[in-house]
């Protein structure tokens, strides 16, 4: 792979060969045996939307250069909000779920301290946010997870120390695919006047399924929701919505900087259509068309079927896995993340031995190396809390069949038969 940039240009044939090399050496994330991330698969309509978006090459920040996309973004956000359970509100597409979550933190803080932009953060008292242990490190106060939030325990935390301003709950955690009990958390937030943000980047698409949307029961009580249709809905990277219940223009008041070269107030159209001041970034990619076009083609019913099919295939995988020697579930999945250890022949029946956990944790990295070097499939692994490395299989690609689940189990057995 020749990456060096030179002073002379190359011929069209050479450029075509460069393109082939890029494709040859890149990971084919749309392949049905790519199980490594929370996204996989290629929807042809979403792809068409992405090609049109790239070709038109505009920025979502002003109506004057993105008239169709400004109107379309609002229509798509309105649809997503309706699935959350809101008939009004606000929102914006962001560059990924973490940025959506960060914006929610900004909004919760700004709502409580509207003068924080003028006074600066040092003028504010120490602030506390509450989140599940799954979410990460930092200064937030944590509750235990596996969907075991104890609201009473959290209330005890709220009463001491810094000023609480925000609770973030998760609908579909990254590794285990767990869903926090939103009704119970919303009760606590309501009692204490706290902003409730739901990180549904992964699990938000479950709202499309009449069968499974109960997992997010209570989400309509949130103040903000992050939802990434580029994950389970395969809209294509990236497509990450931040949805708000707010109708008071909080996004613009919090993030806006009124750049006079973009957001002139004496334009010939309604300047509320200039959405660029809703975010701290300036240029903003068009992320709505791929989802809009896919939705037009599939309809809400087609997308619902995809979600239901993913759940059904994950259940099939779990049942098949249980029939085989050498596979040990980490937990019964709530979602389409199937987490398990592959126990190789040399470790079977040795569960009681003192070095069992240590030896088991070394298995996943070896199998991963083997599958990547063979190019046969790709699945992620990680340690988690006190648990040693285990595989996280993600059943997300709409092209998957039961045969792919069988292949997956057979392939792990084949790759690990000599261990
Ligand atoms: N935003 C977290 C996604 C990580 C993953 O694909 O596993």
């Amino acid at each position: 792979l020749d990456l060096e940039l030179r002073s002379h240009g190359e011929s069209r044939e050479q450029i075509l060969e460069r393109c082939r090399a890029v494709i040859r050496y890149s990971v084919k994330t749309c392949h049905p045996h790519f199980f490594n991330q929370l996204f996989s698969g290629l929807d042809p309509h979403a792809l068409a939307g992405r090609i049109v978006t790239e070709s038109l090459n505009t920025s979502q920040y002003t109506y004057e250069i993105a008239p169709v996309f400004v109107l379309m973004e609002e229509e798509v956000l309105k649809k997503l909000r309706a699935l959350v359970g809101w008939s009004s509100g606000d929102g914006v597409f962001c560059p990924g779920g973490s940025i959506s979550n960060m914006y929610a933190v900004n909004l919760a803080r700004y709502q409580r301290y509207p003068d924080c932009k003028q006074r600066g953060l040092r003028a504010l008292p120490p602030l506390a946010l509450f989140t599940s242990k799954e979410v990460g490190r930092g200064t937030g106060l944590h509750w235990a997870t596996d969907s075991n939030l104890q609201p009473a325990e959290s209330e005890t935390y709220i009463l001491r120390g810094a000023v609480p301003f925000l609770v973030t709950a998760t609908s579909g955690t990254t590794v285990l695919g767990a869903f926090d009990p939103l009704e119970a958390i919303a009760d606590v937030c309501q009692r204490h006047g706290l902003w409730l943000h739901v990180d549904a980047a992964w699990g938000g698409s479950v709202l499309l399924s009449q069968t499974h949307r109960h997992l997010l029961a209570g989400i309509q009580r949130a103040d903000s929701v992050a939802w990434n249709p580029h994950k389970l809905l395969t809209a294509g990277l990236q497509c990450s919505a931040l949805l708000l219940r707010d109708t008071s223009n909080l996004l613009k008041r919090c993030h806006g900087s009124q750049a006079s070269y973009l957001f002139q107030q004496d334009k010939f159209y309604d300047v509320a259509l200039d959405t660029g001041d809703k975010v701290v970034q300036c240029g903003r990619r068009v992320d709505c068309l791929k989802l809009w076009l896919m939705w037009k083609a599939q309809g809400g019913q087609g997308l619902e079927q995809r979600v239901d099919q993913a759940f059904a295939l994950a259940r099939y995988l779990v049942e098949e896995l249980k029939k085989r020697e050498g596979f040990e579930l980490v937990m019964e999945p709530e979602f389409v993340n199937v987490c398990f250890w592959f126990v190789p022949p040399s470790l079977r029946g040795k569960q009681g031995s003192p070095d069992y956990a240590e030896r088991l944790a070394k298995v996943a990295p070896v199998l991963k190396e083997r599958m990547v070097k063979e190019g046969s499939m790709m699945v992620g692994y990680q340690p988690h809390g006190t648990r040693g490395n285990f595989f996280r299989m993600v059943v997300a690609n709409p092209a998957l069949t039961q045969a792919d689940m069988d292949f997956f189990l057979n392939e792990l057995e084949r790759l690990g038969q000599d261990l």
Side-chain angles (χ1 to χ4, degrees):
L1 189 64
D2 176 4
L3 294 174
E4 188 188 337
L5 296 172
R6 303 183 181 86
S7 55
H8 63 272
E10 296 183 346
S11 69
R12 281 171 65 171
E13 286 68 33
Q14 284 173 305
I15 292 301
L16 257 182
E17 191 42 50
R18 300 287 181 216
C19 293
R20 288 192 194 100
V22 167
I23 295 168
R24 188 179 314 127
Y25 295 122
S26 291
V27 174
K28 312 303 182 294
T29 67
C30 304
H31 193 283
H33 297 162
F34 176 83
F35 310 109
N36 207 65
Q37 303 313 141
L38 300 180
F39 62 87
S40 175
L42 185 66
D43 180 282
H45 297 95
L47 177 63
R50 290 155 77 183
I51 292 168
V52 173
T53 300
E54 294 305 318
S55 307
L56 290 172
N57 189 39
T58 195
S59 172
Q60 186 82 48
Y61 48 33
T62 61
Y63 181 71
E64 66 188 66
I65 63 159
V68 173
F69 297 134
V70 166
L71 300 179
M72 183 183 286
E73 179 178 54
E74 181 45 28
E75 192 63 28
V76 173
L77 292 170
K78 192 167 95 182
K79 189 79 188 167
L80 300 181
R81 282 197 302 266
L83 284 162
V84 167
W86 299 331
S87 55
S88 60
D90 199 355
V92 68
F93 277 98
C94 300
S98 294
I99 301 295
S100 298
N101 292 336
M102 187 197 77
Y103 283 166
V105 175
N106 287 351
L107 294 168
R109 183 178 56 202
Y110 183 85
Q111 196 209 34
R112 186 164 287 242
Y113 298 102
D115 56 353
C116 65
K117 279 167 76 174
Q118 286 74 35
R119 292 173 62 210
L121 295 183
R122 274 179 289 180
L124 304 188
L127 300 175
L129 68 86
F130 294 81
T131 190
S132 94
K133 268 189 190 149
E134 289 272 78
V135 170
R137 300 167 189 86
T139 53
L141 302 177
H142 296 136
W143 63 69
T145 49
D146 292 356
S147 299
N148 277 332
L149 170 74
Q150 298 300 320
E153 187 186 337
S154 293
E155 285 187 87
T156 313
Y157 282 130
I158 287 169
L159 297 177
R160 67 169 197 243
V163 178
F165 74 115
L166 167 69
V167 174
T168 76
T170 310
S171 292
T173 57
T174 304
V175 177
L176 299 178
F179 287 77
D180 282 330
L182 301 180
E183 293 283 12
I185 298 170
D187 286 345
V188 174
C189 292
Q190 198 172 322
R191 269 200 295 281
H192 296 277
L194 300 175
W195 183 284
L196 173 57
H197 173 67
V198 178
D199 177 353
W202 177 216
S205 300
V206 177
L207 288 168
L208 283 150
S209 163
Q210 292 306 316
T211 311
H212 300 287
R213 60 171 288 136
H214 63 88
L215 289 167
L216 297 99
I219 194 166
Q220 75 285 356
R221 297 174 66 190
D223 296 287
S224 53
V225 171
W227 175 353
N228 287 6
H230 71 236
K231 291 187 164 120
L232 196 54
L233 294 187
T234 67
L237 283 158
Q238 49 193 342
C239 188
S240 173
L242 173 66
L243 307 172
L244 294 181
R245 190 144 55 98
D246 172 78
T247 53
S248 72
N249 221 11
L250 188 66
L251 263 175
K252 272 194 183 173
R253 285 188 286 122
C254 174
H255 289 143
S257 55
Q258 296 90 39
S260 59
Y261 45 85
L262 282 175
F263 309 121
Q264 301 89 339
Q265 295 302 295
D266 50 2
K267 288 184 182 180
F268 64 92
Y269 58 81
D270 177 3
V271 292
L273 291 166
D274 288 348
T275 57
D277 246 0
K278 291 185 178 187
V279 289
V280 296
Q281 61 195 100
C282 185
R284 193 155 67 83
R285 288 177 57 83
V286 172
D287 287 327
C288 55
L289 175 57
K290 52 201 167 194
L291 178 57
W292 180 86
L293 205 58
M294 182 176 72
W295 206 303
K296 281 278 190 196
Q298 297 286 335
Q301 289 172 348
L303 298 178
E304 176 176 12
Q305 273 170 17
R306 282 191 188 173
V307 174
D308 288 345
Q309 178 187 310
F311 270 91
L313 267 184
R315 181 41 48 191
Y316 173 83
L317 177 67
V318 169
E319 296 310 323
E320 290 303 305
L321 182 151
K322 284 177 181 170
K323 289 179 194 162
R324 300 188 188 216
E325 201 188 0
F327 291 87
E328 195 184 323
L329 271 181
V330 172
M331 60 185 276
E332 277 294 331
E334 273 187 274
F335 194 16
V336 296
N337 310 37
V338 179
C339 295
F340 65 90
W341 287 278
F342 176 73
V343 185
S346 66
L347 282 179
R348 291 179 196 162
K350 305 258 172 64
Q351 276 81 348
S353 62
D355 61 350
Y356 177 79
E358 192 186 328
R359 290 172 64 194
L360 185 61
K362 292 188 174 143
V363 173
V366 173
L367 292 186
K368 176 85 179 234
E369 181 180 349
R370 289 179 179 186
M371 69 181 77
V372 169
K373 287 185 173 169
E374 285 200 22
S376 62
M377 66 177 188
M378 209 163 166
V379 61
Y381 73 85
Q382 65 286 296
H384 186 265
T386 56
R387 298 168 175 123
N389 286 324
F390 56 84
F391 285 113
R392 178 201 64 172
M393 162 70 163
V394 179
V395 185
N397 190 333
L400 289 174
T401 63
Q402 291 187 350
D404 295 309
M405 302 296 102
D406 296 336
F407 167 85
F408 174 71
L409 296 175
N410 292 338
E411 184 64 2
L412 279 177
E413 283 178 341
R414 185 185 73 80
L415 291 167
Q417 63 194 342
D418 62 332
L419 295 179

